[in-house]
Amino acid sequence: MTSTQPRRPASPKGRPTDQPPLVTRPLLLRFVSLIGGSASYYLLLSVVPLYATRSGAGGNGAGATTGALMLATVVGEFAAPWFIARFGHRVTLGAGLSLLGAPALALTLYSGIGWITVVCLLRGAGFALTVVAGGALTASLIPDARRGEGLALVGVVSSVPSLLGLPLGVWLVSRVGYGPVGVAAGACALLAILSVPGLPERETAAGPRIGIRAGLRDPALVRPAALFAVTALAAGIVVTFLPLAVPSGSAGVVAVALFVQPAGATAARWVAGRQGDRKGPSRLVVPGLAVSAAGMLVTAYTHSAVTVVCGVALFGIGFGVTQNATLTLMYKRVPRSGYGTVSALWNIAYDAGMGVGAVGFGLLAQRAGYSWGFACTGALIALTLLPAWRDRAADRSTALTP
């Protein structure tokens, strides 16, 4: 499935000349729905587990809410290509934003774990439609010659809501309560729908159709998706359990940590995108995994505010590099007709990893404690370094094959 693209003439410094514009009006318009959906998602990502805990569900209930969110997201991502083929990208994107926003408005109508789970399931399905339809549409608006940089820019834009939303949601809950935060999250997604009619419908790309089943049978796509899923597992653990793992009375530490994690990821995605265009994304996967593992091991010392913040920041940097490198690598390995499948598979890896991490860590931490749980997560990421190295070797071998 590897596609070959014509090379542009290089300048004396080794950079392509006459590069196509990266930021266009359609891409700027797409950023509106991207920011709105992401803001709605991240404002409640750490708040809902806290709300479930306050409702008497305990640590397992907190993990179950994030697990329900991710389960619905993964199921929705499998179904999203069918919705796109049936209704188009814009209708699917608008429906996703509706499902993401409307249930958030009703989050605090009841406090039972059953109701909270239903809200999470609906929002997960909406988020799935949003990321798959929006991701394929966004990828088609980025020039091939600047794919890594373009995806990095998109990552930076989408990371701003997480950069602000994760800590802001936790902080606002302590000031104004859960109800207003839920309303704010719902409004972000619903207002973003206004930008959808102005988006261009993605044209059908030439080339063989690559479905979800075909993608799952292709090792060139499954390998980077699986590697990224392990770091996503750790991300789900951080956003769900860090507020519960630090000592009581350390809400400020949690807010700072939940700020520096996406901040590090945002900066790392940008750097990784530019370096990936110049040197190839496959070279960045192993370093990204290594830094992610180191960050989780440092975070394991939860009784120190300094180590928690430094560890989460280090993890964020590694996570950002792995995010950009794996996604760029997967797009590189398919023709444009496969962009929808890549978007679905990568997001499935993201959300399945986060969901498994949230549910599994809750069971592990109940027996071994949060510190040992974070340490085991770092060790798990370290185990992926060997298969990541083998994938890079396979990529180099394919590149050298005439």
Side-chain angles (χ1 to χ4, degrees):
M1 288 188 185
T2 302
S3 62
T4 57
Q5 301 293 341
R7 295 180 178 273
R8 291 180 174 270
S11 67
K13 294 184 178 180
R15 298 189 63 182
T17 59
D18 191 26
Q19 289 186 329
L22 181 60
V23 180
T24 59
R25 184 181 181 278
L27 188 61
L28 288 174
L29 192 61
R30 165 64 187 130
F31 285 164
V32 176
S33 58
L34 179 62
I35 292 173
S38 296
S40 176
Y41 181 77
Y42 284 106
L43 268 175
L44 293 184
L45 190 57
S46 288
V47 166
V48 171
L50 287 175
Y51 184 59
T53 302
R54 192 208 69 169
S55 302
N60 287 337
T65 59
T66 302
L69 178 73
M70 298 309 163
L71 174 63
T73 302
V74 171
V75 173
E77 284 162 349
F78 276 108
W82 181 88
F83 279 94
I84 293 171
R86 180 70 176 82
F87 301 106
H89 289 77
R90 288 182 297 188
V91 172
T92 304
L93 179 59
L97 290 169
S98 299
L99 284 173
L100 186 61
L105 300 177
L107 172 65
T108 57
L109 288 181
Y110 304 99
S111 59
I113 187 63
W115 174 255
I116 299 171
T117 301
V118 169
V119 170
C120 290
L121 289 171
L122 292 173
R123 280 173 51 82
F127 188 64
L129 298 180
T130 300
V131 296
V132 175
L137 181 60
T138 303
S140 69
L141 300 175
I142 298 173
D144 290 347
R146 305 182 70 180
R147 182 185 289 116
E149 186 179 2
L151 291 176
L153 176 61
V154 173
V156 169
V157 172
S158 64
S159 293
V160 170
S162 67
L163 185 69
L164 301 177
L166 278 173
L168 184 61
V170 175
W171 182 83
L172 283 175
V173 160
S174 66
R175 299 300 189 278
V176 300
Y178 292 96
V181 177
V183 171
C188 287
L190 295 177
L191 290 175
I193 297 174
L194 298 175
S195 69
V196 174
L199 288 170
E201 182 63 58
R202 180 173 175 261
E203 297 178 359
T204 303
R209 183 180 180 275
I210 303 171
I212 292 291
R213 290 185 179 180
L216 289 171
R217 291 193 297 265
D218 185 0
L221 297 181
V222 172
R223 285 193 301 261
L227 294 171
F228 175 60
V230 178
T231 58
L233 179 147
I237 291 170
V238 168
V239 300
T240 303
F241 289 98
L242 191 66
L244 305 176
V246 298
S248 59
S250 301
V253 174
V254 174
V256 172
L258 292 178
F259 175 84
V260 299
Q261 188 267 325
T266 299
R269 288 187 75 170
W270 178 254
V271 174
R274 295 180 64 87
Q275 292 299 315
D277 282 342
R278 298 173 186 175
K279 300 178 180 180
S282 63
R283 300 180 62 178
L284 302 176
V285 177
V286 171
L289 291 170
V291 174
S292 298
M296 290 305 297
L297 292 173
V298 174
T299 306
Y301 193 70
T302 56
H303 295 288
S304 168
V306 174
T307 57
V308 167
V309 172
C310 291
V312 171
L314 193 61
F315 168 74
I317 292 171
F319 183 61
V321 171
T322 309
Q323 272 186 303
N324 184 272
T326 53
L327 182 58
T328 305
L329 188 60
M330 290 172 70
Y331 278 128
K332 181 182 178 182
R333 291 175 174 177
V334 299
R336 280 183 172 261
S337 57
Y339 280 8
T341 295
V342 166
S343 177
L345 289 178
W346 188 84
N347 281 290
I348 287 170
Y350 197 164
D351 299 317
M354 290 191 71
V356 169
V359 175
F361 189 87
L363 299 175
L364 175 63
Q366 190 176 27
R367 292 167 174 79
Y370 291 116
S371 294
W372 276 108
F374 286 129
C376 290
T377 304
L380 178 63
I381 299 175
L383 292 177
T384 66
L385 292 173
L386 181 57
W389 185 267
R390 289 177 176 173
D391 184 72
R392 176 186 172 185
D395 188 66
R396 291 177 62 186
S397 176
T398 302
L400 292 174
T401 302

